[in-house]
Structures are given as C-alpha cells and as structure tokens.
C-alpha cells in the first residue's frame, strides 16, 4: 500500500505541472533520461493511467536504451492485452530495424502508414529501412511525404540529402543540407556533407567556406579537416 501511494505521489507531481506524463516522457527520451522516464511510466501503470500508451512508452524507452530483449517482451505483452493498439507496430518496426531485419521493419511501419498515411515518424523510419535495403527511390519518396506533413522535420531533410547524394543528385542534396544547417547550426554532419558535395562539384571556395563556418561554430573535427578542404 505504501509503495502504491509513493507511485501515486510521483504521478500527481507530474500532473501538477502543465504537462501530461507522456509529454515529459517524450522530452526525457530526447535527452536520454531513461531512468526518469521509467519512473514516471511505472507510476502511470500503478494508477492505471492510459495503460496501453504507458506500456507503449515503456517499450520505446527500452529500445532507446538498447535493451531489445525487454522491448520485445513488452511488445508481446502489449499486443496480447491491446491487440487493436496499432502503435505496437512502431515498436516492432524499431526492434526489427535494430536486428537488421529491414524487410520486416518496412512491413511494420507500412501497417501504421496504412492506418494513418500522415504519420511522419512512421514515414521517416520506413525511409531509413528502405535506405538500408538500398531502395533509395522509395526512401526519398517517404521523406518527401514526411516533409509535406512536417516541413520542419530536421532529420528528414538530413536523411533525404544523404540518399540524394547516393543517387548523385548533388544539387538537390545541397539544398537539404543547407536547410538542416539553418535549422540547427550545430549539426556538423550536415556541414561535412555539404562541404564534400561542393568539393565534388569543384566549388572549392564554397567547400572551404562551409568548413570555416563549422569551425566558427566550434567543430574540432572541422579544424582537423580544414587542410583537405581549403588547399
């Protein structure tokens, strides 16, 4: 009884803030604060707060923490208790991807997209699985759809640039890398991708400018790479 009261207290403290428990959990997942996420989820489960969603987030935290065994067990339990809770396919898609089962990952995300064609996270993750299967056209098509729904999806712009680069569509890739840098001036991978493409196109001054901008933003790796881009 005492333990249940402790869980109830923790849950109430979360709700006192002007945020739902799941909003806080999502923020914790982004910041990799997995232990705090699990504490809040366990509190939700103890007071039977939206049990299906609580179980879903617990599985997601396990995946983010690279505990695939517990994530798989959580998925099985969630599907048995709530067979119509379609986001279990999202967890299964992530689990399959982590196990290099890319065809299955595509299949799981496709189940979500069939139900909700405008789910940007499912489109994004399916695109990554397509990319791993070297199906770059379908990967880019999913990212196009994703960005129509959410034009500010930074990682979708970055991924599209990456796959466009694979297909030799350098000018289009450059546009996406530039968008990423405008969104996040600390995304140094985008600087390197952009500089590399300018170098391929023999626009050496532009490549050097990009590396210098990365250095100004604090990239040590850019400092080490400067000589190869600014000869």
């Amino acid at each position: 009884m005492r333990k249940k009261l402790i869980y109830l207290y923790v849950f109430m403290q979360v709700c006192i803030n002007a945020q739902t428990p799941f909003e806080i959990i999502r923020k914790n997942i982004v910041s990799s604060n997995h232990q705090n996420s699990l504490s809040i989820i366990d509190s939700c489960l103890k007071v039977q707060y939206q049990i299906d969603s609580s179980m879903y987030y617990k599985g997601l935290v396990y995946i983010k923490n690279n505990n695939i065994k517990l994530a798989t067990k959580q998925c099985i339990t969630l599907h048995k208790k709530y067979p119509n809770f379609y986001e279990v396919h999202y967890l299964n898609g992530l689990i399959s991807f982590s196990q290099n089962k890319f065809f299955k990952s595509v299949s799981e995300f496709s189940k979500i997209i069939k139900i909700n064609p405008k789910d940007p996270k499912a489109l994004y993750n399916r695109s990554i699985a397509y990319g791993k299967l070297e199906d770059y056209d379908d990967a880019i098509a999913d990212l196009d759809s994703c960005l129509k729904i959410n034009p500010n999806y930074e990682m979708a712009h970055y991924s599209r640039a990456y796959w466009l680069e694979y297909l030799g569509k350098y000018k289009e890739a450059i546009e996406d890398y530039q968008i990423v840098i405008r969104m996040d001036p600390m995304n140094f991978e985008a600087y390197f991708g952009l500089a590399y493409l300018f170098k391929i196109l023999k626009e050496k001054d532009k490549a050097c400018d990009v590396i210098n901008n990365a250095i100004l933003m604090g990239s040590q790796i850019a400092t080490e790479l400067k000589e190869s881009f600014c000869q």
Side-chain angles (χ1 to χ4, degrees):
M1 180 65 180
R2 183 180 177 185
K3 189 173 182 180
K4 188 170 184 176
L5 288 173
I6 291 172
Y7 279 113
L8 181 59
Y9 172 77
V10 172
F11 175 75
M12 290 303 295
Q13 287 300 308
V14 169
C15 291
I16 285 170
N17 301 319
Q19 296 176 305
T20 69
F22 300 139
E23 286 173 333
I24 297 172
I25 290 164
R26 284 193 290 270
K27 288 181 180 179
N28 284 336
I29 289 172
V30 170
S31 62
S32 298
N33 193 348
H34 303 310
Q35 191 55 50
N36 192 42
S37 293
L38 289 173
S39 296
I40 295 171
I41 292 166
D42 285 340
S43 298
C44 291
L45 290 170
K46 285 292 181 180
V47 298
Q48 298 187 344
Y49 176 79
Q50 296 188 29
I51 299 175
D52 50 2
S53 293
S54 295
M55 292 179 69
Y56 163 77
Y57 278 107
K58 193 165 191 176
L60 186 58
V61 171
Y62 284 145
I63 292 170
K64 297 296 183 181
N65 205 27
N66 294 317
N67 196 331
I68 302 304
K69 184 176 180 179
L70 284 179
T72 302
K73 184 177 179 181
Q74 185 74 6
C75 275
I76 293 170
T77 304
L78 175 59
H79 189 60
K80 283 182 179 179
K81 287 190 174 183
Y82 302 96
N84 295 322
F85 188 77
Y86 79 95
E87 282 201 282
V88 71
H89 298 299
Y90 182 72
L91 296 180
N92 282 327
L94 293 177
I95 290 169
S96 297
F97 186 91
S98 72
Q99 296 171 329
N100 296 327
K101 298 176 181 178
F102 302 124
F103 283 108
K104 185 176 179 181
S105 183
V106 165
S107 175
E108 291 294 331
F109 290 126
S110 295
K111 291 174 184 176
I112 296 176
I113 293 165
K114 185 176 181 180
I115 296 169
N116 181 9
K118 293 187 176 182
D119 188 318
K121 67 180 183 180
L123 286 164
Y124 173 77
N125 281 282
R126 188 173 71 172
S127 78
I128 304 302
Y130 274 136
K132 287 291 187 179
L133 292 169
E134 299 184 0
D135 185 351
Y136 305 128
D137 289 327
D138 278 335
I140 291 170
D142 271 356
L143 291 167
D144 288 342
S145 298
C146 178
L147 288 166
K148 283 180 182 177
I149 299 162
N150 181 6
N152 296 319
Y153 202 141
E154 179 189 332
M155 286 307 299
H157 280 290
Y158 180 85
S159 295
R160 189 169 67 177
Y162 188 82
W163 300 131
L164 285 167
E165 182 180 332
Y166 259 79
L167 292 176
K169 298 181 179 181
Y170 298 143
K171 292 185 178 180
E172 294 174 55
I174 283 170
E175 290 178 9
D176 269 322
Y177 281 134
Q178 289 173 329
I179 291 171
V180 173
I181 291 169
R182 286 198 295 271
M183 288 182 173
D184 180 11
M186 301 297 288
N187 189 324
F188 296 124
E189 292 298 323
Y191 285 93
F192 303 144
L194 182 58
Y196 175 71
L197 290 180
F198 279 137
K199 188 174 181 179
I200 287 177
L201 294 171
K202 301 188 184 304
E203 298 185 51
K204 295 180 180 180
D205 289 343
K206 289 183 178 180
C208 184
D209 286 343
V210 171
I211 291 299
N212 282 329
N213 287 336
I215 292 170
L216 287 173
M217 295 307 300
S219 171
Q220 181 60 40
I221 296 176
T223 302
E224 296 169 4
L225 292 174
K226 182 174 180 176
E227 184 176 347
S228 64
F229 283 95
C230 297
Q231 293 178 343

